[in-house]
Amino acid sequence: MNDQTQQFASDNYSGICSEAWAAMEQANQGHQRAYGDDQWTARAADEFRRLFETDCEVFFAFNGTAANSLALSSLCQSYHSVICSETAHVETDECGAPEFFSNGSKLLTARTEMGKLTPQAIREVALKRQDIHYPKPRVVTLTQATEVGSVYRPEELRAISATCKELGLNLHMDGARFANACAFLGCSPAELTWKAGVDVLCFGGTKNGMAVGEAILFFNHDLAEDFDYRCKQAGQLASKMRFLSAPWVGLLENDAWLKHAGHANHCAQLLKALVEGIPGVELMFPVEANGVFLQMPEPALEALRAKGWRFYTFIGSGGARFMCSWDTEEARVRELAADIHTVMRA
């Protein structure tokens, strides 16, 4: 199996979708002003405002780590804390970046149900201690879709937002796979963000057909004060910003973002359907986005690796994650399912 064969380890393995590629090619014609003062960046920001049905502040960063970390740092001071799930990417996979960019804001982990925070869990952490010796809770961050592929419903988000308002907490959403959540629920982006009480969204493009680039949307304008300075200081102000923003125009203007996310979700549902009922294979979490989490014996996982399949097993012994992408081919899904059948019969 060569390195160009489609794999299921991560949706970061996939290439650039045609819409993003075409927009970058168009942006490559002639000269444009630098540092975001160009027509493509203005156009992309307007597309976001159209899509979200509100006059939000829009910024662009190179990657999700920077987007999340800078967004969180704008919501709290160094003596504050950020409540997140125990599986949150900001807690497990961002190398201390949220703490670094906030000058030390502490992450406090809360228990989850199927990867999702609940009002009760948030309340338990926020009210655990209220003395001056403990970092003061100021932000809740949740991931949509979650790290285990579950999706927050609008009513769940509204309940969390109500709890945040009661406790004086800002609400941040890590939307690395926000498009997949929208596609699964059939809800508008507005319904899953500001209409449900979300203050800031980091909208992921890299996992949905872009080469690089995430968008940070502030629905509360006051929280965006001086955010452009944060981006510059953190090395996130692209001199040729149009190449970060133009792909978003390609994704957003004809709803390619939703089409691609829907396809990835469909392939995950197909994989789920093909492996359900195989003796010894258990579904670990509901399949609601573009990931399928399977519990399998370690010898079977090793046999799959020996056949050339790549996947992650960072979620515990015997747990394997298979991610589908915007360009995943159904035939490839069927090949994987067939090999899972084979190794489980061995």
Side-chain angles (χ1 to χ4, degrees):
M1 218 173 268
N2 63 51
D3 286 339
Q4 293 182 324
T5 304
Q6 283 192 349
Q7 291 288 351
F8 293 84
S10 173
D11 33 12
N12 287 326
Y13 276 36
S14 61
I16 307 172
C17 68
S18 60
E19 295 87 355
W21 189 273
M24 288 186 72
E25 186 176 20
Q26 291 176 40
N28 198 38
Q29 306 302 311
H31 283 205
Q32 287 278 332
R33 292 185 179 186
Y35 301 109
D37 190 22
D38 63 273
Q39 64 177 5
W40 285 98
T41 301
R43 189 173 163 190
D46 285 341
E47 285 290 339
F48 276 113
R49 296 180 186 116
R50 174 194 62 80
L51 181 65
F52 283 83
E53 309 167 50
T54 191
D55 183 25
C56 52
E57 297 278 356
V58 183
F59 301 88
F60 299 96
F62 288 101
N63 55 44
T65 296
N68 286 325
S69 301
L70 291 174
L72 290 173
S73 72
S74 73
L75 302 178
C76 55
Q77 299 291 335
S78 58
Y79 49 84
H80 286 143
S81 58
V82 177
I83 298 172
C84 63
S85 79
E86 64 253 335
T87 57
H89 211 73
V90 293
E91 163 70 9
T92 65
D93 290 279
E94 289 182 348
C95 198
E99 296 92 331
F100 175 80
F101 283 109
S102 64
N103 290 317
S105 296
K106 186 175 179 60
L107 297 181
L108 302 177
T109 58
R111 60 183 179 80
T112 59
E113 296 176 9
M114 288 296 176
K116 294 189 283 188
L117 291 171
T118 64
Q120 182 181 353
I122 292 168
R123 194 182 304 278
E124 287 173 359
V125 174
L127 300 179
K128 179 180 179 181
R129 282 179 61 180
Q130 296 176 291
D131 58 274
I132 201 168
H133 303 285
Y134 198 68
K136 185 178 182 179
R138 180 47 61 90
V139 185
V140 169
T141 178
L142 53 82
T143 312
Q144 177 77 309
T146 73
E147 287 78 8
V148 298
S150 53
V151 169
Y152 288 92
R153 274 61 173 173
E155 60 271 19
E156 293 175 313
L157 295 173
R158 288 193 295 269
I160 288 173
S161 172
T163 300
C164 289
K165 285 181 171 58
E166 176 193 335
L167 299 174
L169 307 173
N170 293 312
L171 182 55
H172 165 265
M173 178 178 284
D174 175 351
R177 298 183 178 93
F178 179 72
N180 301 94
C182 291
F184 174 74
L185 293 174
C187 292
S188 72
E191 290 172 323
L192 292 182
T193 53
W194 64 271
K195 287 186 177 180
V198 173
D199 294 306
V200 185
L201 165 71
C202 293
F203 195 150
T206 309
K207 292 177 170 61
N208 198 29
M210 284 174 52
V212 63
E214 314 289 296
I216 304 105
L217 280 60
F218 285 83
F219 303 110
N220 182 333
H221 289 253
D222 293 339
L223 297 175
E225 184 178 357
D226 290 341
F227 192 74
D228 49 349
Y229 285 86
R230 289 185 185 275
C231 289
K232 172 61 179 177
Q233 186 182 64
Q236 294 297 310
L237 179 63
S239 55
K240 296 184 179 181
M241 182 68 79
R242 67 189 186 275
F243 295 111
L244 284 187
S245 56
W248 279 112
V249 175
L251 277 183
L252 297 179
E253 61 181 356
N254 293 312
D255 287 339
W257 68 278
L258 190 59
K259 177 187 73 173
H260 292 318
H263 173 76
N265 289 1
H266 164 74
C267 288
Q269 291 292 339
L270 176 61
L271 178 59
K272 170 194 169 186
L274 291 172
V275 300
E276 275 185 320
I278 300 176
V281 176
E282 295 181 15
L283 197 65
M284 299 178 68
F285 305 101
V287 179
E288 297 182 342
N290 59 322
V292 181
F293 294 76
L294 299 178
Q295 191 84 31
M296 299 172 59
E298 188 59 38
L301 295 177
E302 285 300 321
L304 280 179
R305 294 188 186 98
K307 287 178 174 290
W309 294 103
R310 295 178 185 172
F311 49 89
Y312 285 136
T313 55
F314 53 79
I315 50 176
S317 177
R321 186 193 76 169
F322 299 90
M323 296 301 301
C324 297
S325 303
W326 69 270
D327 63 345
T328 297
E329 297 170 1
E330 287 192 15
R332 190 72 176 140
V333 176
R334 296 182 187 280
E335 288 177 27
L336 171 60
D339 278 349
I340 291 175
H341 275 273
T342 298
V343 301
M344 291 304 296
R345 287 197 301 264

